[in-house]
Amino acid sequence: MAISTGGDGATEKPMSDINTTPLVDVMLVLLIIFLIAVPVVVQAIKVKLPDVRYDPTVTKPENVSLTVRAGPGGECEVYWNLTRVTSQELLDKAVKKLEAEVKRLGSDLTADNLPEAHIRGDVDTPYRCVGGTIYTMQRAGFAKVGFISEPPPGETIGRL
């Protein structure tokens, strides 16, 4: 094994400079790999999202008003109007409500006049509570399940 000295013989000292050629080679290879791999990883599908800040809710008497919040100990509390219900009671009441509306409407039944479920969820409610309520209402047959929100103070309601 030989040591390169940087002198001409009389002043021979070992050279202490780092050989950067292998480092540059590795960096160039990594740069090429990242240039090829990044476009594959970053995938975006272009969509046009609606320009609606807040859409006013049309309240119909046949709509179901639900409130969901987290109770003590992390349990989910669901209220049908002002009455607290369990998951099974929610399903039973929703099925009965939908059956009664279908029977009432008879041959005038359309997708527009079916009742909707409007969910008011507390800010600190875990998603599993809200998601479980949505699932239960869809399982009961409600095609339209929406959320009620409160616009920030001072903002106007309407389309942009």
Side-chain angles (χ1 to χ4, degrees):
M1 195 158 156
I3 296 178
S4 172
T5 59
D8 56 354
T11 59
E12 291 187 19
K13 292 186 197 173
M15 201 162 92
S16 63
D17 295 334
I18 298 173
N19 186 3
T20 59
T21 304
L23 176 66
V24 170
D25 290 344
V26 169
M27 295 305 283
L28 286 174
V29 169
L30 287 175
L31 178 67
I32 291 170
I33 289 173
F34 284 126
L35 287 174
I36 293 170
V38 166
V40 174
V41 174
V42 177
Q43 296 178 359
I45 298 171
K46 294 189 186 257
V47 292
K48 171 93 171 87
L49 297 176
D51 292 332
V52 177
R53 283 200 181 139
Y54 299 99
D55 203 9
T57 305
V58 178
T59 304
K60 301 183 285 188
E62 62 268 11
N63 288 348
V64 176
S65 177
L66 301 172
T67 304
V68 181
R69 69 178 188 182
E75 67 179 36
C76 301
E77 294 179 354
V78 179
Y79 293 87
W80 180 291
N81 292 332
L82 298 174
T83 308
R84 185 171 176 190
V85 292
T86 65
S87 182
Q88 186 60 44
E89 291 171 341
L90 177 64
L91 180 63
D92 294 340
K93 285 181 100 167
V95 167
K96 286 179 187 174
K97 173 76 171 178
L98 202 56
E99 286 175 350
E101 285 298 316
V102 168
K103 190 180 286 187
R104 183 182 68 82
L105 293 171
S107 62
D108 295 334
L109 182 66
T110 63
D112 292 332
N113 60 8
L114 278 175
E116 302 172 6
H118 295 168
I119 299 174
R120 294 174 56 233
D122 187 59
V123 174
D124 299 324
T125 303
Y127 178 75
R128 64 181 173 79
C129 297
V130 176
T133 305
I134 294 169
Y135 175 74
T136 302
M137 295 307 286
Q138 288 178 337
R139 197 170 133 210
F142 280 78
K144 294 182 181 178
V145 179
F147 295 99
I148 304 295
S149 63
E150 184 176 330
E155 289 208 13
T156 59
I157 299 174
R159 296 189 181 269
L160 296 175

